[in-house]
Amino acid sequence: VLNNNKVQGTIPPCFGRFSKLGILGLTSNSIDLPFPDEAVEGWTNLKILLLAQNLLQGSFPQSLTKLPALEELQIDSNSLTGTFPAFNRDDTPKLERLNLANNGLKGTISSDIFDIETLVQLNITTNFFNGSLPANIGQDFGDVNPLQVLDVGMNDLTGEIPESIYNASNMVNLVLSSNNFTGQIRSDIFTNLFQLKILALDNNGFSGPVPETLSPLSQLTTLALQKNDFVGVISDSICNATVKGNTPIQLMSLTIDCEEVTCECCTNCGTTTKPRLRGS
């Protein structure tokens, strides 16, 4: 592990000799592309690859999508371009955590990533992805879908929340902020996704009423709904879970446009003036 050092340049081909290498940590250095095929092809046992905050510029190195033992790839905060990497269950069947945040990637989100039965976390915030969310997010693998964290904030995504997301009962953080999503939120979102701690839907085009009922098992701590087109009233079920409620403090942050939605318990009132989205 060589995180936070002054490592510069490209990865040498001789790194391919390290076939037993399990973890390669190069976060916060000055690593650049390309990655020699001879090096990557030798990483047959590599489980964790940490490349965040480097000088990676240009197209995403597709050779990284062919690592058979890979469980975690952190390659956020670089200057990578191109389309969504071709991760799939055949080439990376053990992938659990993928972080592509803060790059310059564009195009649609590949549905293949959500066919990987081990995927727990996906963070693609602050890129230029467009189109709708794949319909297979949260799909049934014959057991509970393992997906816990999905952060797609700060992109140019459109459409409605796929029905399959409402079945992702292990979901803990769902962040859809600052896109162009539309449609209504299903009334059973809080009862189906009862393990949610963070639900961030702010700065989109969602409409209709705010779902009323929290699950008795709810673990929700942050609910961000501002800068949408919601209407109606925040229910007692939700208010009773806030700092101002009668139950133990749980929902610490509840934000909505109070001019459009009646809310006696919100911790913060957002503004109904929406900022201009990137690419709009």
Side-chain angles (χ1 to χ4, degrees):
V1 177
L2 298 171
N3 296 333
N4 299 294
N5 279 282
K6 297 181 180 179
V7 181
Q8 299 181 9
T10 60
I11 292 177
C14 64
F15 269 42
R17 301 174 187 170
F18 305 142
S19 60
K20 295 183 179 180
L21 187 67
I23 301 174
L24 180 56
L26 293 167
T27 300
S28 299
N29 284 290
S30 298
I31 303 297
D32 199 356
L33 295 177
F35 291 160
D37 289 341
E38 307 96 291
V40 179
E41 289 171 359
W43 296 341
T44 54
N45 291 296
L46 189 66
K47 295 181 178 181
I48 299 175
L49 180 56
L50 308 177
L51 293 168
Q53 300 175 28
N54 275 283
L55 300 177
L56 304 180
Q57 299 183 30
S59 297
F60 186 94
Q62 293 298 326
S63 57
L64 299 184
T65 68
K66 307 294 184 182
L67 298 172
L70 189 66
E71 297 177 3
E72 178 176 354
L73 173 60
Q74 304 285 342
I75 199 168
D76 52 297
S77 302
N78 282 285
S79 299
L80 295 170
T81 57
T83 57
F84 196 94
F87 289 98
N88 62 81
R89 63 184 175 188
D90 293 325
D91 294 324
T92 51
K94 300 179 179 180
L95 186 63
E96 297 179 4
R97 296 173 292 279
L98 177 60
N99 191 342
L100 305 173
N102 298 296
N103 277 288
L105 299 168
K106 62 182 180 180
T108 58
I109 302 170
S110 171
S111 62
D112 290 344
I113 188 71
F114 297 106
D115 286 334
I116 300 176
E117 298 183 23
T118 53
L119 188 68
V120 174
Q121 298 180 8
L122 176 64
N123 186 348
I124 61 170
T125 187
T126 318
N127 279 283
F128 297 95
F129 292 115
N130 56 27
S132 57
L133 291 175
N136 61 336
I137 300 175
Q139 65 181 297
D140 184 3
F141 289 127
D143 197 357
V144 177
N145 190 292
L147 189 62
Q148 296 179 7
V149 177
L150 178 63
D151 188 344
V152 302
M154 287 295 292
N155 282 283
D156 297 313
L157 299 167
T158 57
E160 300 186 8
I161 295 178
E163 288 294 308
S164 57
I165 283 187
Y166 294 96
N167 298 323
S169 58
N170 271 337
M171 191 76 75
V172 175
N173 294 352
L174 179 58
V175 180
L176 308 182
S177 307
S178 299
N179 281 283
N180 296 300
F181 291 118
T182 55
Q184 297 192 13
I185 308 303
R186 254 176 49 176
S187 60
D188 59 357
I189 186 170
F190 296 128
T191 51
N192 286 6
L193 307 185
F194 60 89
Q195 296 192 66
L196 270 181
K197 292 184 178 180
I198 297 175
L199 178 61
L201 306 178
D202 52 295
N203 198 14
N204 281 285
F206 292 116
S207 58
V210 176
E212 295 184 358
T213 305
L214 285 181
S215 165
L217 301 176
S218 176
Q219 301 178 47
L220 198 65
T221 61
T222 300
L223 179 57
L225 303 173
Q226 71 272 24
K227 303 183 184 72
N228 281 286
D229 297 313
F230 290 117
V231 295
V233 178
I234 296 295
S235 69
D236 290 341
S237 174
I238 293 177
C239 278
N240 287 340
T242 67
V243 175
K244 298 180 181 180
N246 297 319
T247 59
I249 294 175
Q250 175 180 299
L251 184 52
M252 300 294 295
S253 177
L254 170 58
T255 308
I256 201 165
D257 301 315
C258 300
E259 294 180 5
E260 305 296 329
V261 178
T262 302
C263 183
E264 298 181 354
C265 59
C266 284
T267 57
N268 188 29
C269 285
T271 172
T272 55
T273 302
K274 296 183 182 180
R276 182 179 176 83
L277 298 181
R278 298 182 313 150
S280 61

